[in-house]
Amino acid sequence: MLDRTALIYRYDGTQDGLLCCVYEAMAKREQPMMILSAREMQSMLFEDRFIETDPAVARRVADAIRGRISEDALTMVGRALLTHLPGKEIHLLDVLRRAFREGPGLLSNLSDPAVYKLNRAITFLEREAHLLTGFIRFRESDGVLTAVIEPKTQVLKLLAPHFTDRFRQETFLIHDRTHGEALVHRAAGAAGRGETRIVPVEAFEQAPPGAQEQAFQRLWRAFFRTIAIEGRENPACQRTHMPKRYWAQMTEHQPESAWPEALPLSPVQGLCP
């Protein structure tokens, strides 16, 4: 039987940290009421224990998950930690504990409440990352591309391969305002691929666009308006495919008055045939 003493685990919010929590719970046969990351430091009335992150322990747990459950189970852990599912750590502990006993088939059993919640949250994460590969709008300033997003989930890890592959010769930054972090990529030089990291960034303000950037933004808004067919406008359908919560950061949904001076298109003359 598990020890169900009122207990809260705290950890550093990383995947290795969560795997150490799994080890602690299984080794001591405990069932914590909650597992809270460093971002969730509210005070509680119950016993509070911080679980130190030990890379060696995390590797042992990861190897056990691969060997006794599946590689997909370890992928599930990493993806689930990026979601906005409340209590995701407890759901993961519950599913992993039972999957060690029952085998990998548990992970495909969507009639299980914990498995279903994790699967639904991961699907939302992956869909949001997919949408943002098309919805992110960069702004150029002093040779650096910057963009701001406000996603519900921590999508930067999923976005990194897409944008570093397409913009490997560019230096860019994507700031996740919701979670206070940024994907930063330094342009690849003659000697290599460049460098990509996700770093904590609590506050970030984009530099005001220069003359050429403003001209490009106006061209994009003009293109967006021009391809629209007035008689076939369907706002409900548009919001289905382009959820309105993303519009605040999308150039085509900004008014022309966003920047006070209407600059001529001359800065981009000659760029197009």
Side-chain angles (χ1 to χ4, degrees):
M1 295 292 292
L2 297 176
D3 180 2
R4 296 187 179 274
T5 303
L7 175 65
I8 294 170
Y9 285 179
R10 294 190 186 272
Y11 77 116
D12 63 3
T14 65
Q15 180 171 330
D16 280 357
L18 190 277
L19 294 179
C20 289
C21 290
V22 172
Y23 178 84
E24 181 85 0
M26 296 188 69
K28 296 186 176 180
R29 301 184 62 80
E30 295 177 336
Q31 179 60 45
M33 296 179 62
M34 303 175 69
I35 302 177
L36 301 178
S37 72
R39 294 176 179 268
E40 305 168 289
M41 296 304 289
Q42 65 264 39
S43 60
M44 294 291 177
L45 298 176
F46 308 106
E47 180 185 349
D48 190 304
R49 183 190 307 162
F50 186 81
I51 308 301
E52 296 287 347
T53 299
D54 185 333
V57 170
R59 283 195 299 271
R60 287 177 57 191
V61 177
D63 290 342
I65 292 172
R66 289 191 187 96
R68 295 176 55 187
I69 308 176
S70 67
E71 184 71 37
D72 287 344
L74 193 60
T75 300
M76 176 196 70
V77 173
R79 292 287 174 93
L81 288 177
L82 301 176
T83 71
H84 66 316
L85 175 67
K88 56 196 172 188
E89 294 90 351
I90 285 294
H91 288 303
L92 282 169
L93 174 59
D94 174 37
V95 169
L96 289 174
R97 196 196 298 269
R98 289 186 292 125
F100 276 123
R101 296 195 306 265
E102 303 171 26
L106 175 66
L107 302 185
S108 58
N109 181 12
L110 297 183
S111 64
D112 183 276
V115 173
Y116 174 73
K117 287 179 181 179
L118 287 173
N119 183 271
R120 184 174 63 174
I122 292 171
T123 298
F124 183 94
L125 163 76
E126 293 172 343
R127 179 176 182 272
E128 183 165 52
H130 173 70
L131 289 174
L132 284 168
T133 59
F135 292 165
I136 287 179
R137 302 291 181 257
F138 286 98
R139 180 189 300 176
E140 191 275 337
S141 179
D142 295 327
V144 178
L145 300 176
T146 63
V148 176
I149 58 175
E150 297 178 290
K152 291 184 178 180
T153 58
Q154 293 176 265
V155 295
L156 293 183
K157 189 173 181 179
L158 277 64
L159 293 176
H162 176 88
F163 286 104
T164 54
D165 180 60
R166 283 155 180 77
F167 299 139
R168 66 181 61 189
Q169 299 301 327
E170 304 285 348
T171 295
F172 67 82
L173 178 149
I174 303 174
H175 179 227
D176 178 349
R177 185 176 289 165
T178 307
H179 302 96
E181 57 186 13
L183 170 65
V184 182
H185 174 74
R186 186 173 60 185
R193 286 175 50 87
E195 180 183 10
T196 306
R197 291 188 299 162
I198 296 176
V199 297
V201 176
E202 290 301 329
F204 171 76
E205 291 295 333
Q206 289 178 291
Q212 182 168 288
E213 177 62 26
Q214 291 186 52
F216 273 119
Q217 289 186 10
R218 294 206 323 282
L219 282 172
W220 181 250
R221 286 194 291 268
F223 169 76
F224 183 75
R225 291 193 303 269
T226 302
I227 63 172
I229 301 174
E230 184 176 352
R232 300 184 64 181
E233 287 187 1
N234 188 336
C237 181
Q238 184 185 42
R239 288 193 295 272
T240 297
H241 294 282
M242 185 188 290
K244 199 167 183 177
R245 62 191 177 88
Y246 298 115
W247 292 9
Q249 307 298 337
M250 298 180 71
T251 306
E252 56 266 43
H253 289 289
Q254 306 307 308
E256 288 289 350
S257 59
W259 307 106
E261 184 180 355
L263 297 174
L265 295 183
S266 58
V268 294
Q269 286 177 355
L271 293 179
C272 300

